[in-house]
Amino acid sequence: MPSVKELRALTPVDVGTFRAEYGPVALIQQPPEPVFQQVAMQMGEARTVFMAHRSRLADRLVAMLQGFEYLEVLFLKPKADGEVFSLGRLETCSMVVHDPSVSKFHALLRWSEEEGSCYVRDAGSMNGTFVNAVALGEQEQLLYDGDGLSFGDAQFLFVRAETLHAHLGAPGSR
């Protein structure tokens, strides 16, 4: 997974080429702490026992924005309308998140070609899925550009390719 800094160093391309190469949307996350990553990988298929601390959601989001250059970018490249991406600790998930507060199979992201966006739904996780620090419960929710997304304690920003391209300062982004 490239960091924002690594993407910024790539040869500049126009926004259309950027979107075609990387996909229409991305999840941007703080790199997992090595200790937590190791614990999560050792847990593998074991039951989630680490409890998320919901009181830290806003603080962690602010910390992410302050260290934007070092955030990792996970691009979603849907091949068809309605494609679903699974997210969890298991290596068989479409998006693997190495955080002990993330369930083996935590959430689903569904691509909507018509809206050019994704919907998120919790998959019965132990620590919940949050959009802008509000718990989803059992409902599916449309994600908007710039939404804060949390799976347990794992924090992400949901962004459109055009927004990320603009923040990278690439030509043709304004």
Side-chain angles (χ1 to χ4, degrees):
M1 226 181 315
S3 69
V4 169
K5 187 175 186 175
E6 291 167 338
L7 285 173
R8 199 181 301 271
L10 295 176
T11 306
V13 296
D14 65 84
V15 69
T17 303
F18 183 81
R19 182 184 161 106
E21 184 172 338
Y22 293 109
V25 293
L27 294 178
I28 303 175
Q29 72 170 354
Q30 202 167 21
E33 294 179 36
V35 169
F36 287 144
Q37 186 172 8
Q38 184 177 9
V39 168
M41 290 174 78
Q42 289 173 347
M43 287 173 65
E45 294 190 29
R47 187 170 187 269
T48 305
V49 292
F50 284 81
M51 295 301 292
H53 298 280
R54 284 145 185 83
S55 61
R56 295 190 309 213
L57 294 179
D59 291 340
R60 291 184 82 177
L61 191 55
V62 169
M64 282 178 65
L65 294 173
Q66 291 173 339
F68 188 72
E69 287 293 303
Y70 303 100
L71 299 180
E72 293 179 340
V73 182
L74 173 63
F75 291 99
L76 300 179
K77 293 182 77 173
K79 295 174 181 70
D81 184 40
E83 184 172 350
V84 176
F85 298 89
S86 59
L87 183 139
R89 261 191 354 260
L90 290 178
E91 295 297 325
T92 55
C93 287
S94 309
M95 296 173 288
V96 179
V97 179
H98 294 293
D99 185 293
S101 69
V102 172
S103 294
K104 294 180 288 187
F105 179 62
H106 197 103
L108 297 167
L109 291 167
R110 180 178 57 83
W111 171 248
S112 170
E113 186 68 38
E114 180 180 331
E115 293 156 349
S117 196
C118 286
Y119 285 82
V120 63
R121 181 169 49 93
D122 188 79
S125 68
M126 175 181 268
N127 286 316
T129 300
F130 300 80
V131 176
N132 300 323
V134 177
L136 279 184
E138 295 180 15
Q139 67 192 31
E140 182 179 68
Q141 182 171 330
L142 175 64
L143 293 172
Y144 295 97
D145 194 26
D147 276 348
L149 198 51
S150 304
F151 306 100
D153 275 341
Q155 295 280 322
F156 294 83
L157 290 173
F158 175 83
V159 294
R160 298 177 57 76
E162 295 82 2
T163 301
L164 179 57
H165 187 266
H167 283 291
L168 294 173
S173 63
R174 289 172 178 63

